[in-house]
Each structure stands twice: as C-alpha cells, then as structure tokens.
C-alpha cells in the first residue's frame, strides 16, 4: 500500500479528538487494507513489530534531525533553529520537505508501507562500527522520497511520537466495527485475542476473514510475553475483603520487580512487566528454573526480590535495580546482588493456557510444580482465610519481613492480562512513594550548570494524558556514580533524558514521557501551579524504573486517594 494513504489516515485521525469519530475513520481505513498489508497495523501503533517484540525503532531526536538535514540538504544548525521555533520535529520535516519539493517537484506517492517497514526493521539490528552512518542512510532514503505529509509522519514514527491518539482500544473497536458490524461480544473476543497474542497484526489476520470463531485459534505462546495483570489498591483490610470476597488468598506483596518466566524445553526466558527481555541478566535463575520447577513448557508470574548475601535480609527494590539495567559484568553483579524468585501465578502449562482457570487452581498448580529453595526460588507466602484478624497479622508479618504489604486475591477469578483488576488488591502502609515519569527539566546553575538539576514529574490522567505533580531535585548525586551502586548523578540522568528532549526554551526543557522514576515524598498538597491540581512536597528520587512503562505510572486517581487518606490521617500498621 502507498505510504501516502497511511499518512493521510494519520492526518484525518489526528484531526478529531472524538473517540467515536476516530473509530469510524479507522474502521473505514481498515476495510481498505488487503491481507498482505497486515504490518500496517504495527505502523498504526507507531511500531514495526508486535508489542511483545523488543526490537524497537529507537531513533533519537538528534539522529532524526541529522537525517532531516541530510535529506533536505539544509545544514543541521538551520534545522535545529527550525526545531527550536516550531518545537515539533515532525512539523520541521514537513516544512523543510515541502520547501524542497516545491523546487524539485518530485517524490510524491512513491513510498510504500512495505518499503518503510523494510528500512525501519533494519535499524534495531545495527550494531558496532558505522552504525550511525547506516542508520542515517536507511532513513534518508525514505525521507528523500517522501512528500511533506509523509515526512511528518515518518519522523514522528522514528522518534516514537505519532500523536494521532489511536490506542489499542481504538484499534479493537475499529476492527469490531469494520469486520463484525460491532456485533455484541465482538469487542471482547478481539480484546481477548489481543491480550493472548500481544500482536495486533495477528488479530487483524483473523478479523479480516470475518469469523469471530477464528479467534479461538489464537493461543498464548511461550516466548511471547503478554502484559501482566495489575492490582487495584485497598485502603483497609475490610475494604479488601469486600472487593475480593471471602475466603480469599492473602499473599506477601514482595518489594522487588515483576518477572515473567517462560520455559520451552531447554530454553528459559525472562521478561519484565514492560515486556523487556532480561534473560541474559539472570543466568542463575535459568538454573533455578531448570532444576526446581517441574514441567517442559510453562509461563510463571513472579517477583524477584533482592537480599543481602551475608545477613539474608531482604532489600528494597532500589538496591537491586541494577540487575535489570546492567548488561555487562553480569557474573559479578550476580554475586553482589542475589535475587530470590517468588512465584505467585502460572499462565500456561504443558501446552495449555490457564488464563481462564480460577486463581485457586492456578495457585495449587504453582505449589505443586515449584520445589521451594529459599534464597533461590520459592512460592509466594500465602494464607487462605475469611478472618480479618488473621489477614492483618499476616500483613504485619510481611511488613516485618521487609516486604511492601499484602495482596488480596479472589479465589475464582481468571488472569486478565494488561488490566488493573478489582479481584486482586494490594494493601500497603500509608502511601509515601509513587512511580512517576519525567516530562520536563530545568538546567542548573553554578556547579550544576550544563545539566538538568531539577526534574518535572508527571502522573497519568484519566485519558492517559500526563499531568505534572511537582519538581524533584533531591536524591540524585552530584558526581558520576558509574558502577558504584544504585544511584544516579545529575549528568547521568540528563544524558538518559537527552534523546527525549522535545523542546528547549531558556533553561527549561520539555521532555517526552519515557523515563520512569520511583520517588518518595512527605505530603501531597493542593496546588494551582501544576495541571494535576496537586503538588508533592519534598519529592525525592529513589530509583530508576527501567522495568516500568510511562503508561503504568501512578494515576491522578491514586494521588487523590493518597491525598484523601492523608487528610483523614489514616494509618495502617
Ligand atoms: P506499587 O507501586 O504499589 O508497587 P505496582 O506499580 O508495583 O504497585 P501493582 O499492580 O499496583 O503494581 O501492584 C502489584 C505489583 O506487586 C505486581 O506488579 C508485582 O510486581 C508485585 N507483587 C509483589 N508480590 C506479589 C504477589 N504476591 N502477587 C502479585 N503481585 C505481587
């Protein structure tokens, strides 16, 4: 298909903010696709592979800028100037290509989506010497044949900022409308298919044949990570029981990071809840899985928790976050920062999906196949009870063991990938920590000049937008911390953020929401200074969260809850 047709769709979709209109536009577009255009579905999501695949386009603004300069023959400084004026690199490409095309009259409509995908798919695999040059020539080849509107969306795709407001749910409902006349139950079937495969093009393949029963063919597969099920929050144990029913399972809420364990024969893979493949970072866990878990093929859900080698005391997440981040000296890190795997769920066993099986059945199976070896791999600590007092004692025991709190789980509920569900609840002491995403910054002065010294933090609003909640400048080191532990310095954090700078004016920078951090704070206040309406008092950096995506940061709703509970001066434990 012509890339121009897709670019025109992007344009039409971004012209409306109304969800139903977007669905109508997308549905019309989907009907025009041939089966061989399946990969266009990835482009609709700003991607080139299914979501479970961690090969991403990953082009920085700086590199995109170079490519715009090269393909339009305008020098980089002038492109930079335009970027500073316009503030949107896509629009810069659109303008400069349009100026150029007026003088050369070429290029319109020759690009195909196949060619775009072909070139973009070559990018993630490039490593080593000459990589930058090769990337530039692959991108420039596309940009030189692009019309202005194609250039706009090519650049936005490259830098991962499509801005057309099409989410997975929009695609789901558009597929339902395009191929099943939005008949009852279609959206749910499509969503189930997306959940199971995490592959929107595979879902399109079936949908295009217009038979809802076709979706039954789609299966959960080992090696293709799906999005994890998330918990809602309960303020009291009483509330938790009301939501999940009695009796329920109460488990330790471990303070580590989520690890999805996939095994097929001899192959063992690990994924974070961000779907990042971290298999090579945990060689010792591969051994644990092979030795202590019975079965040829399975997918387990677990929390990896760090502990002190000598004292065996459990450590908070921020002290072991390096185990995910670091890609070298793995052996050394493995010795210094050992982890214990706490398995709490199973999604697939010996060729069969367990997503719709009741939690209790899954939980029993976990306990049957995992052989507990403390400080290596164990099943989550669990009681099944209807008794609030017992649940409270168990919760306090979890806190005493340095864990975060407790999880309450409905015994008969299935596993719903990618959803925050009311049948799994978390309860923690008065909430004083949040995961937030950095969306801006301010350059420092004096000894901190040259890098950002304060960082604007945002939570997520109802519609998925990002809303500012305050500025953070503490908890970050002055000097480089490379290889010294879990901390990060101002200049390291600035370097990490640089590829995502959207606009600089004076000392302030707007930053694309990408880098997630955990912060503690003293109090939440009402504030007119931030568009969330709240401000954190004394936010302090505690950890980078490479395992979290910006979509999963704390929501405004959660902040409100924390604010209200703080007002009531509620304390638990
Ligand atoms: P928080 O910021 O409160 O830790 P979260 O962002 O980690 O929450 P939630 O879904 O709100 O995510 O809480 C569930 C998380 O708790 C899971 O993602 C998982 O990493 C962790 N966890 C620890 N122990 C368990 C357990 N026994 N069962 C399920 N999840 C657990």
């Amino acid at each position: 298909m012509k890339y121009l047709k897709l670019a025109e769709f992007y344009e039409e979709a971004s012209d409306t903010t109304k969800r139903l209109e977007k669905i109508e536009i997308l549905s019309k577009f989907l009907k025009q696709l041939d089966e061989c255009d399946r990969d266009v579905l990835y482009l609709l999501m700003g991607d080139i592979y299914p979501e479970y695949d961690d090969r991403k386009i990953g082009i920085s603004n700086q590199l995109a800028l170079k490519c715009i300069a090269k393909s339009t023959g305008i020098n980089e400084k002038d492109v930079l100037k335009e970027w500073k004026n316009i503030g949107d690199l896509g629009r810069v490409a659109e303008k400069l290509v349009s100026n150029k095309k007026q003088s050369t009259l070429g290029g319109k409509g020759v690009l195909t989506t196949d060619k775009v995908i072909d070139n973009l798919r070559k990018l993630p695999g490039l490593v080593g010497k000459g990589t930058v040059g090769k990337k530039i020539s692959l991108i420039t080849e596309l940009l030189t044949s692009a019309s202005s509107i194609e250039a706009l969306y090519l650049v936005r795709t490259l830098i991962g900022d499509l801005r057309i407001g099409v989410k997975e749910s929009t695609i789901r409902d558009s597929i339902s409308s395009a191929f099943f006349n939005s008949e009852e139950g279609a959206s749910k079937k499509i969503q189930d298919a997306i959940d199971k495969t995490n592959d929107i093009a595979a879902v399109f393949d079936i949908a295009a044949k217009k038979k809802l029963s076709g979706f039954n063919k789609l299966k959960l597969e080992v090696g293709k990570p799906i999005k994890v099920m998330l918990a809602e929050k309960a303020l009291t144990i009483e509330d938790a029981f009301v939501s999940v029913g009695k009796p329920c399972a109460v488990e330790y809420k471990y303070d580590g990071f989520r690890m999805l364990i996939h095994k097929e024969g001899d192959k063992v893979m690990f994924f974070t809840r961000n779907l990042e493949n971290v298999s090579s970072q945990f060689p010792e866990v591969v051994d644990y899985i092979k030795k202590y878990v019975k079965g040829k093929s399975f997918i387990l859900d677990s929390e990896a928790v760090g502990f002190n080698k000598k004292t065996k005391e459990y450590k908070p997440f921020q002290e072991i976050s390096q185990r995910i981040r670091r890609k070298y000296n793995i052996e050394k890190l493995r010795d210094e920062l050992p982890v214990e795997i706490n398995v709490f769920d199973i999604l697939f066993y010996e060729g069969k999906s367990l997503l719709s099986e009741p939690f209790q059945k899954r939980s029993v199976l976990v306990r049957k196949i995992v052989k507990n070896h403390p400080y290596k791999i164990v099943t989550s600590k669990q009681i099944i009870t209807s008794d609030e007092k017992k649940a409270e004692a168990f919760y306090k025991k979890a806190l005493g063991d340095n864990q975060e709190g407790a999880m309450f789980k409905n015994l008969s509920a299935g596993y719903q990938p990618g959803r925050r569900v009311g049948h799994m609840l978390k309860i923690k002491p008065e909430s004083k920590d949040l995961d937030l995403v950095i969306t801006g910054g301010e350059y420092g002065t004096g000894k901190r000049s040259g890098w950002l010294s304060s960082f604007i933090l945002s939570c997520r609003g109802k519609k998925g937008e990002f809303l500012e909640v305050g500025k953070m400048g503490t908890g970050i080191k002055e000097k480089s911390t490379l290889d010294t532990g879990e901390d990060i310095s101002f200049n390291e954090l600035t370097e990490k953020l640089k590829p995502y700078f959207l606009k600089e004016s004076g000392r302030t920078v707007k930053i694309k929401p990408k880098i997630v951090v955990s912060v503690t704070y003293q109090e939440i206040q009402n504030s007119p200074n931030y568009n969330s309406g709240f401000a954190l008092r004394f936010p302090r950096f505690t950890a980078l969260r490479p395992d979290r995506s910006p979509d999963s940061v704390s929501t405004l709703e959660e902040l409100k809850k924390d604010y209200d509970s703080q007002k009531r001066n509620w304390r638990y434990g």
Side-chain angles (χ1 to χ4, degrees):
M1 138 182 238
K2 290 258 194 291
Y3 187 68
L4 184 62
K5 213 165 171 183
L6 177 62
E8 282 166 355
F9 158 75
Y10 286 145
E11 196 72 349
E12 207 185 338
S14 51
D15 272 352
T16 174
T17 52
K18 296 202 179 94
R19 196 180 127 73
L20 287 180
E21 280 178 19
K22 266 195 213 295
I23 290 173
E24 203 183 312
I25 296 166
L26 179 52
S27 160
K28 204 172 84 200
F29 177 76
L30 290 174
K31 280 186 201 161
Q32 298 166 24
L33 293 185
D34 287 327
E35 285 182 28
C36 61
D37 292 324
R38 67 190 300 280
D39 288 353
V40 170
L41 270 287
Y42 301 133
L43 290 176
L44 286 176
M45 298 293 284
D47 229 330
I48 44 172
Y49 287 111
E51 201 178 349
Y52 66 76
D53 196 309
D54 60 5
R55 285 169 296 179
K56 302 287 170 205
I57 302 172
I59 295 296
S60 67
N61 290 327
Q62 275 67 23
L63 194 61
L65 188 146
K66 272 189 201 308
C67 298
I68 297 173
K70 186 146 189 243
S71 57
T72 55
I74 295 168
N75 81 48
E76 281 177 39
K77 272 198 189 124
D78 291 328
V79 181
L80 186 64
K81 226 193 266 162
E82 288 284 354
W83 184 25
K84 290 209 161 163
N85 277 337
I86 301 177
D88 171 345
L89 214 44
R91 292 278 172 217
V92 173
E94 181 186 32
K95 180 177 167 190
L96 299 180
V97 166
S98 155
N99 290 351
K100 183 185 150 206
K101 292 281 144 73
Q102 272 168 19
S103 54
T104 60
L105 286 175
K108 203 171 151 77
V110 294
L111 263 187
T112 62
T113 49
D114 282 348
K115 175 68 185 164
V116 170
I117 291 219
D118 236 35
N119 278 26
L120 297 187
R121 280 187 174 167
K122 287 180 185 140
L123 298 171
L126 292 171
V127 281
K129 231 174 122 196
T131 296
V132 174
K134 283 181 204 153
K135 285 188 177 176
I136 292 179
S137 63
L138 282 165
I139 298 169
T140 312
E141 188 193 358
L142 298 177
L143 281 174
T144 41
S145 12
S147 62
S148 54
I149 173 180
E150 290 170 311
L152 162 66
Y153 288 104
L154 269 176
V155 168
R156 284 193 176 169
T157 303
L158 286 170
I159 60 174
D161 192 19
L162 208 46
R163 300 193 200 181
I164 55 163
V166 167
K167 295 187 290 195
E168 187 184 278
S169 57
T170 330
I171 300 196
R172 175 199 63 205
D173 292 344
S174 307
I175 289 181
S176 167
S177 155
F179 304 113
F180 304 103
N181 249 328
S182 301
E183 73 176 76
E184 214 188 313
S187 261
K188 180 168 183 316
K189 272 239 156 186
I190 298 164
Q191 185 64 54
D192 283 352
I194 298 174
D195 288 344
K196 254 188 228 156
T197 57
N198 229 348
D199 184 346
I200 200 80
V203 173
F204 168 80
D205 290 339
I206 304 276
K209 298 195 170 71
K210 302 188 181 178
K211 268 213 179 109
L212 271 181
S213 59
F215 288 120
N216 300 338
K217 269 192 251 152
L218 293 179
K219 298 267 177 310
L220 200 60
E221 277 179 55
V222 176
K224 296 182 177 174
I226 58 168
K227 291 182 205 128
V228 297
M229 179 165 78
L230 296 172
E232 281 180 7
K233 191 169 172 176
L235 286 179
T236 64
I237 285 175
E238 200 186 337
D239 289 353
F241 271 113
V242 170
S243 299
V244 299
K246 284 182 180 178
C248 73
V250 187
E251 296 184 359
Y252 271 30
K253 181 178 191 322
Y254 295 96
D255 185 11
F257 57 90
R258 191 104 176 225
M259 199 188 234
L260 274 297
I261 300 167
H262 289 228
K263 178 174 182 266
E264 180 74 70
D266 262 354
K267 201 164 160 56
V268 179
M269 284 162 283
F270 309 124
F271 299 94
T272 65
R273 81 180 224 184
N274 238 353
L275 312 181
E276 192 188 346
N277 188 333
V278 290
S279 308
S280 55
Q281 279 97 307
F282 298 91
E284 81 278 29
V285 183
V286 174
D287 283 348
Y288 305 161
I289 300 301
K290 287 186 177 167
K291 281 191 191 146
Y292 307 128
V293 189
K294 218 164 97 186
K296 285 198 185 78
S297 73
F298 50 76
I299 303 176
L300 303 176
D301 200 350
S302 75
E303 187 89 351
V305 187
F307 61 91
N308 182 310
K309 214 166 58 173
K310 288 198 186 107
T311 65
K312 296 284 199 277
E313 224 179 13
Y314 290 106
K315 291 178 171 185
F317 168 76
Q318 57 264 33
E319 290 186 31
I320 53 151
S321 68
Q322 277 198 79
R323 287 280 333 242
I324 311 179
R325 274 154 60 194
R326 185 91 76 70
K327 307 247 157 54
Y328 54 93
N329 274 351
I330 303 280
E331 301 295 317
K332 186 167 168 262
L333 214 58
R334 176 181 88 172
D335 280 350
E336 286 168 6
L337 303 174
V339 292
E340 176 187 72
I341 306 301
N342 293 266
V343 186
F344 54 76
D345 215 330
I346 182 160
L347 319 186
F348 184 91
Y349 194 63
E350 306 296 41
K352 198 170 162 267
S353 163
L354 304 175
L355 293 181
S356 8
E357 298 292 341
F359 173 69
Q360 190 160 26
K361 196 166 165 194
R362 304 198 307 272
S363 184
V364 166
L365 180 60
V366 165
R367 278 150 187 84
K368 213 163 112 189
I369 63 169
V370 177
K371 198 156 178 252
N372 280 349
H373 276 262
Y375 303 105
K376 290 183 175 166
I377 184 168
V378 291
T379 53
S380 56
K381 287 205 169 65
Q382 184 196 67
I383 54 167
I384 292 180
T385 185
S386 304
D387 184 334
E388 285 176 24
K389 288 224 170 69
K390 278 192 184 149
E392 185 176 345
F394 187 77
Y395 163 69
K396 287 197 170 145
K397 194 162 167 281
L399 296 180
D401 281 348
N402 276 355
Q403 301 306 332
E404 269 196 320
M407 307 292 296
F408 286 68
K409 302 182 179 182
N410 177 310
L411 294 175
S412 48
Y415 189 101
Q416 281 183 5
R419 231 59 56 70
R420 207 167 272 285
V421 293
H423 55 73
M424 174 165 94
L425 296 181
K426 57 182 168 178
I427 189 157
K428 310 196 278 186
E430 192 179 352
S431 179
K432 288 282 188 197
D433 65 322
L434 297 168
D435 287 340
L436 297 167
V437 63
I438 297 178
T439 53
E442 217 168 81
Y443 277 103
T445 52
K447 65 178 177 160
R448 288 183 183 171
S449 65
W451 58 73
L452 301 178
S453 66
S454 120
F455 303 86
I456 296 185
L457 303 169
S458 290
C459 67
R460 220 160 34 89
K462 260 211 170 112
K463 294 183 193 139
E465 76 281 26
F466 292 99
L467 301 169
E468 296 176 355
V469 294
K471 272 185 204 165
M472 166 188 79
T474 48
I476 302 157
K477 301 281 173 235
E478 296 290 340
K479 293 218 174 78
S480 170
T481 62
L482 218 58
D483 284 343
T484 61
E486 69 279 8
D487 300 309
I488 194 160
S489 68
F490 285 105
N491 63 349
E492 284 159 1
L493 188 51
T494 306
E495 286 306 317
K496 239 186 182 345
L497 290 162
K498 258 189 187 156
Y500 310 113
F501 280 13
L502 293 173
K503 189 172 185 175
E504 292 187 46
S505 49
R507 278 174 47 219
T508 62
V509 190
K510 248 184 101 183
I511 302 172
K512 185 170 153 194
K514 242 344 206 214
I515 304 291
V516 177
V517 290
S518 290
V519 294
T520 57
Y521 61 93
Q522 250 184 23
E523 204 186 10
I524 301 181
Q525 298 175 318
N526 267 320
S527 165
N529 295 332
Y530 298 107
N531 57 358
S532 65
F534 291 105
L536 299 181
R537 237 164 85 83
F538 305 126
R540 185 183 176 82
F541 171 91
T542 57
L544 277 178
R545 298 298 318 218
D547 58 326
R548 301 275 157 107
S549 76
D551 291 340
S552 71
V553 296
S554 304
T555 60
L556 184 60
E557 210 55 22
E558 285 167 324
L559 253 83
K560 273 192 189 138
K561 266 196 192 162
D562 289 350
Y563 175 75
D564 290 341
S565 74
Q566 158 194 302
K567 265 202 323 200
R568 290 202 305 273
N569 207 10
W570 178 83
R571 250 198 127 70
Y572 219 99

